[in-house]
Amino acid sequence: MASSSSSHLPASVFNPRRHVGVHAERVSDVASTEFPGHYPGEDHSWSLAKFKETLKVSVKRLSQRSVEFDLVGVDASIANAFRRIMLSEVPTLAIEDVFVFNNTSVIHDEVLSHRLGLIPINVDPRLFEFRQDIPLDRNTLVFRLNVTCERIKKASKDGPQYINEYVRSGDLEWVPQGEQESVFASNPPAATNKDIVLAKLRPGQTIEMELHAIKGVGKEHAKWSPVATASYRLHPLILLNPSKPVPPHLAQKFASCFSPGVVKVSPDGQVSIDERHLRKETMSREVLRHKEFEGCVELKRIRDWFIFSVESEGPYTPESLFPESIKVMRGKIASIREAAEALLADSQDLGSGSAPAASAGPDADGDVEMA
Amino acid sequence: MAEHADGEEEWARIAEPNWRGLGLTDPIKSVEDKWLLLPAFLKVKGLVKQHIDSFNYFVDVDIKNILKANNKVTSDVDPRFWLKYTDIVVGFPDRTDADAIDKSVTPHECRLRDTTYSAPILVTIQYTRGKTVVRRANVNIGRLPIMLRSNKCVLTGRNETQLARMTECPLDPGGYFIVKGTEKVILVQEQLSKNRIIVEIDTTKGIVQASCTSSTHGGLKSKTYVATKKGKIYLRHNSIHEDVPIAVALKALGIQSDKEILLLTAGNHEAYKSSFAPNLEEAAKLGVFTRHQALEWIGSRVKVNRRVVGPRRPAWEEALEALATIVLAHVPVHGLDFRPKAVFVATMTRRVLMAMDDEKMVDDRDYVGNKRLELAGQLLALLFEDLFKTFNANLKASIDKVLKKPSRTSEFDAFNTMQFQGDHITAGFVRAISTGNWSLKRFKMDRAGVTHVLSRLSFISALGMMTRISSQFEKTRKVSGPRALQPSQWGMLCPSDTPEGEACGLVKNLALMTHITTDVEEEPIIKIAFMLGVEDISLATGAEIYGPHTFVVNVNGTIIGLTRYPARFVSNFRRLRRAGRFSEFVSIYINHHHRTVLIASDGGRICRPMLIVENGRPRVTSEHITMLKQGQLSFDDFLRRGLVEYLDVNEENDSYIALYEKDIVPGTTHLEIEPFTLLGAVAGLIPYPHHNQSPRNTYQCAMGKQAIGAIGYNQLNRIDTLLYLSVYPQKPMVKTKTIELIGYDRLPAGQNATVAVMSYSGYDIEDALILNKASLDRGYGRCQVLRKNATLIRKYPNGTFDRLADAPVDENGQTQKKYDIIQLDGLAGVGERVDPGDVYINKQTPTNANDNSFTGQAATVPYKNAPMTYKSPVAGQIDKVMITDTENDQTLIKVLIRQTRRPELGDKFSSRHGQKGVCGLIVNQEDMPFNDQGICPDTIMNPHGFPSRMTVGKMIELLAGKAGVLAGKLQYGTAFGGSKVEDMSRILVENGFSYAGKDMLTSGITGEPLEAYVYFGPIYYQKLKHMVMDKMHARARGPRATLTRQPTEGRSREGGLRLGEMERDCLIGYGATQLLLERLMISSDQFQVDACEECGLLGYNGWCPYCKSSKKMAQLTIPYAAKLLFQELMAMNVVPRLVLDDA
């Protein structure tokens, strides 16, 4: 699906109203102007049909840990809301309580605990509830960390000298509680990355702790953020000025001002933009620096074409993070709707039930209702 | 063997490619890579070598000289008795405990146990026992605190593994002492040089004076002046009541004829002759013509301090003695040959005449060549001499006491007496170093604040302290001269590193490559000078001395002779020095103004190495450096081969030094090794300092010492009073060569923060910073504060003792919450959390500890609780508990309590460019702006910080840091070099970024692009020790001072917040009288008094004791302080009467 749409950009892309101007020293037209009342004689009121027509979501790249997808046809506020939710409001599990029974390593209890908290855990948070007060098998995951370093008795000179020289996230031992054993039988909870060094030990040093992981959101602490980062950039657009072509002898230099592959140079020195690779452009604005290219080219970005890039930390597959953020968003909308409806119901109650009383005289605040 | 291993490790490290991909082992193209000599220099010399060299000189050489000067003890009672010291050695540090099996001791043990790291001073004595002469070796006379990493220290020559075994940090420079567990540094003291003539002019009074402070071995210092007074010249000295007319002085010194006096002073110069003439008249007027008359004249004016009662000596003899031994004592007088001294006085006079004739001929006191630095060794030598003399006096007194007894049971053995001399020397050293008071009456020395506690706030603060130089100038004097930056400081003293405020310019720091000389024997030097054709001064007349082609040769300020070929003499002399025939620290130079050749071999001169240039080419070639990298040559070989030499400030001024190889012209004599060595160790941390406004570098020098980071590899084994550590220190993205040389990259103090230079939210005004909450969550700026709490479990003289007790149990078998962490031994468990108010040492003291009449059973006495409670408002953890014995067998308990802190609003941060700021707001990650890669800043800095500060270096640091991140390597910001902006921009463009370092950001709040590009990249940020948690304070009600009943002062006493004079003025101006009354009296020290309207005095209970009546008593409210004032006045017989009136 990706290949068919990007070989030729849709014509609407060249609509100047969709453009953010990228100039040498400033950015122009950052905000959308297509809202009701801005353009005389144009109707920009929101319509579902139009929204359905313009909205496009397409995945461009998907790997084990990250996804790049395009979100076209929404306002920055909507796209940003999803980005923000992915960063801070999609819940995950992280270690919150650490019970230290013994720690003779050089790393201090609270520093080690902090490090433990930041380990991403591969458990689907949807299977857990938020912990209210008491830990239960439905809201708490228990790990044990028991590591003792010892000297290898007959170690070769250049090989490793110690057993458990490094305490790694893979040393976390899951302790199933209640029904967890059956629920997670197929995929036992562990750290997503087993090679995170937590501490270094020397013979005789030991760490013995119990760790409780609970569900939380990134707003509270970054350890509960499900993403390494989630962000977007606007789709770049390079407009060549037909009335001032790039001089053929400078074509190579012109091309080198952009990311590789973005600008094509034909054998006779004609310059053209490869629209399939346009999204690779990093907008370094290098071309605007050279006097000889002044007026040859205009740099733009498309205001409502968001190239999202989301790097998952593990608990969610990268492609499920965006839907998850929509779920959170819908939850928020639902609660606002509930509240709004309650408000509406209240005012209707007031309007019908207590109207005679209100008209009788000043109310509790001392305001007199005007007729 | 150990040294060898150490060397290999060191070389392996240096040989790693570390600069522009070059290591010491890489091929050298030209002498461009001559900076590699710098690590070689630091390898032999080190950063604190001046302290260590000075101490080594004292221990190995000077202490023997002192012994030689005081080597005999005789008895007034028995003339046949004598005791002679034949040798003295300082041993290695050992344990003083008598029953210890392992006598070896490490410095770290001394730190922990609050003991002194000291070694025995052992002497060999010969003395008479009856009729036999007895020799005894290794007699202990006391203990000397040992400087770390000196010759006598156990750490010297150890490799990293061995040091680790002794819990010592390999990067610790040493050069300090450990006395009673505290690390003490003897700061370098700056003084005016001794035995040199300094000519000054007082333009307001029109006085020209030449002064000379004489100092000889033995310490007595005296100052001699030759000064003008009403157009005539006089010699002035403390030991003579009256100023001596110069002609009289010279006559007394044996220059009898007026012609000769004139020749020796004015020479054949007409102007000098005419201004000197009145002095000859003066002598004639006084009737002084012959030497005898002159001596008589002076003799009657000499201050005589006669101790020995004997026949009064004639005046001329007094004068002769004074002139020979007290006036200008450093000029030798052999067998009443006063000629050299006469010539010296004549030279002083001539200098005065020259300055009278031409004002430019005065000397500059602030010139670094006229300064000498006094180091630990010299101060300790003085102290030792004083203590040793007292020791000998005490020894003599007790020997006399024994010998006085008419009959003795056994033969007298002085050795036994010596054993009972107590620890005068040991205690003297410990007292002087731990208090810093050098009060040696014998040498008229009374200095306070000589030693300082080594600051362990950060690695840099410790290092900075070791290179610090303090001036003898008073801080209060408002003079600019001594504080100003002197051109002669170039390369010797750091131009940036000086404190702000009162000590500005008076406290200085050494530059990276400086060395301070120790004394070199001058006799061989004088011999060499004579061998090179210098004519003895005693044979010369005035006409010859000031002849047209003659130059006077001085050695350490004393005139020794003349030469007619100064240039040839100097170059021959230098050739011998470069050949290593005598010490490389002897300097020689020509002063053309005074027509003198000056040779200096005294200690305390600042010098630095430089490449020798001959025939327009540096003598160091790439082959030499190739051999250096292969380890075939060391820095000392470079010296020995005459490729490199040390120049002191004076000789430097007589040389023509090229900064770079390209600057070499035919007259060039030397080439700088590297220009960045003109900065010190602390200023060397700043990247691109040559792009910054100069005061910013100075500010950073002060702030770098407050940065929280790693302080040493042994930091977690230390128990210091207060220790700040960073949890995740990082080495800077933009390093300097200095950083690598001093090891800052291995003990860093800061983190590479991604900074967006933009305005955000308005909580960033006045340099405030915005921090990213997610960064803090992930450990940015996290630090630890460790605080020591110590107590002694004492044994009292009456047999009772303190004890530790487990937690007390109430009747229900419950323990109080505050005893939760106390274990059975009465101490808190390691790793436990301490909450405010918790007890961590449950100590109990006997109720009758000070009752010396108590004789009962110590175990049965009643005890009272004396627990140590945790007072900080925030919980901490018990980090360490140590129980040990001190030197005097008291049990010492130290508990280290740790707090781990995450940055909060108001914590102070700073970049490396003197740009400090406090955290103004902590912002959620999603609200932070982000760039196309999705990177959001750790810190947002307001761009208003740039225009007025002009810290361009910071901008370049960001650019270089960003390029380094993209290229995957560290960049360099070395002073006068470093990675070029052009290269950095190229890397940025190659990686798809704007060349300017400005990124297009998207607002995290609106989701729309920001309309401006934002300067965005990593800058190394330091967290400073000033944290809100340690400072915040407020009070509504609280304790009051007993005397005045006003609220107490200060946070530590939970004090009130003062409404001061200026605030008071505002309220008066505004007319808010009731508010004033409330603030100043009602809320402070309101007090009801009864006063009598009749007599106006205070009474009580409605009764006036003065009027003996209660009729006219009135009650009024006054501040308690006012009532106190009235009573204190009454105590001084002043009657304060109140005049009461109804308002």
Side-chain angles (χ1 to χ4, degrees), chain A residues 8-19 34 50 53-56 72-73 237 239 301-305:
Chain A
H8 295 291
L9 295 170
S12 63
V13 156
F14 298 99
N15 174 7
R17 283 190 190 172
R18 286 182 73 188
H19 292 174
E34 294 194 319
K50 199 177 166 214
E53 187 195 312
T54 51
L55 179 72
K56 276 195 192 75
V72 191
L237 186 66
L239 299 177
R301 303 193 98 153
I302 299 159
R303 192 183 299 115
D304 58 355
W305 188 335

Side-chain angles (χ1 to χ4, degrees), chain B residues 411-620:
Chain B
E411 200 165 32
F412 171 66
D413 192 336
F415 174 72
N416 294 332
T417 322
M418 225 170 146
Q419 293 299 293
F420 292 105
Q421 277 307 300
D423 55 353
H424 180 76
I425 294 180
T426 316
F429 274 123
V430 169
R431 195 191 322 110
I433 296 179
S434 59
T435 61
N437 296 330
W438 244 251
S439 66
L440 316 174
K441 298 219 175 63
R442 194 169 271 125
F443 303 121
K444 288 181 193 150
M445 186 179 187
D446 191 19
R447 267 193 236 162
V450 174
T451 61
H452 289 258
V453 179
L454 181 65
S455 155
R456 286 287 187 181
L457 217 54
S458 68
F459 173 59
I460 283 302
S461 76
L463 202 64
M465 203 149 190
M466 304 304 304
T467 59
R468 193 164 304 161
I469 298 167
S470 74
S471 172
Q472 294 288 299
F473 270 97
E474 288 169 64
K475 285 176 180 165
T476 47
R477 275 182 62 195
K478 278 185 182 161
V479 281
S480 64
R483 297 171 184 267
L485 189 63
Q486 255 279 332
S488 53
Q489 282 185 18
W490 166 277
M492 305 286 178
L493 303 173
C494 179
S496 289
D497 196 0
T498 178
E500 300 162 64
E502 60 168 11
C504 185
L506 298 179
V507 172
K508 299 185 252 291
N509 276 273
L510 291 174
L512 208 56
M513 280 252 255
T514 38
H515 180 81
I516 300 173
T517 59
T518 50
D519 279 314
V520 174
E521 232 184 309
E522 61 179 40
E523 275 79 48
I525 307 289
I526 295 172
K527 260 186 208 159
I528 288 167
F530 283 132
M531 266 170 2
L532 291 173
V534 170
E535 295 162 38
D536 196 332
I537 194 70
S538 305
L539 308 173
T541 65
E544 285 159 339
I545 294 175
Y546 304 119
H549 299 294
T550 42
F551 275 64
V552 179
V553 180
N554 285 259
V555 172
N556 290 336
T558 29
I559 300 161
I560 61 152
L562 304 175
T563 177
R564 254 171 288 172
Y565 310 102
R568 194 171 71 190
F569 170 66
V570 167
S571 73
N572 284 339
F573 193 87
R574 286 202 181 128
R575 195 167 303 145
L576 285 181
R577 179 180 64 194
R578 287 172 190 178
R581 296 306 174 83
F582 51 88
S583 165
E584 66 267 29
F585 297 115
V586 176
S587 85
I588 184 167
Y589 70 103
I590 303 177
N591 187 331
H592 291 276
H593 297 287
H594 299 142
R595 306 176 59 77
T596 49
V597 175
L598 294 132
I599 301 173
S601 74
D602 53 339
R605 287 170 296 127
I606 321 178
C607 59
R608 64 195 182 108
M610 242 165 281
L611 308 181
I612 299 170
V613 173
E614 267 174 11
N615 308 322
R617 214 182 282 146
R619 293 211 53 195
V620 175

Side-chain angles (χ1 to χ4, degrees), chain B residues 148-168:
Chain B
L148 271 80
R149 311 266 169 153
S150 71
N151 272 351
K152 300 293 172 192
C153 177
V154 295
L155 305 177
T156 315
R158 301 304 175 101
N159 62 22
E160 281 202 22
T161 326
Q162 288 167 319
L163 287 175
R165 210 157 283 150
M166 293 193 260
T167 45
E168 200 59 45

Side-chain angles (χ1 to χ4, degrees), chain B residues 300-314:
Chain B
S300 59
R301 287 161 179 87
V302 169
K303 283 183 196 164
V304 194
N305 45 347
R306 188 169 298 280
R307 273 168 298 163
V308 196
V309 228
R312 235 186 102 84
R313 286 192 297 185

Side-chain angles (χ1 to χ4, degrees), chain B residues 226-238:
Chain B
V226 171
T228 58
K229 199 163 84 182
K230 292 172 190 156
K232 277 173 270 183
I233 303 174
Y234 296 88
L235 180 126
R236 195 186 313 141
H237 190 273
N238 257 345

Side-chain angles (χ1 to χ4, degrees), chain B residues 83 138 208 451 465 498 754 778 841 921:
Chain B
L83 183 147
N138 294 335
V208 182
T451 61
M465 203 149 190
T498 178
T754 300
R778 292 176 177 125
I841 300 177
L921 184 71

Side-chain angles (χ1 to χ4, degrees), chain B residues 3-20:
Chain B
E3 199 150 53
H4 183 67
D6 179 36
E8 289 218 325
E9 237 168 70
E10 198 64 26
W11 274 108
R13 198 180 66 74
I14 291 169
E16 275 169 19
N18 50 16
W19 185 71
R20 290 188 183 161

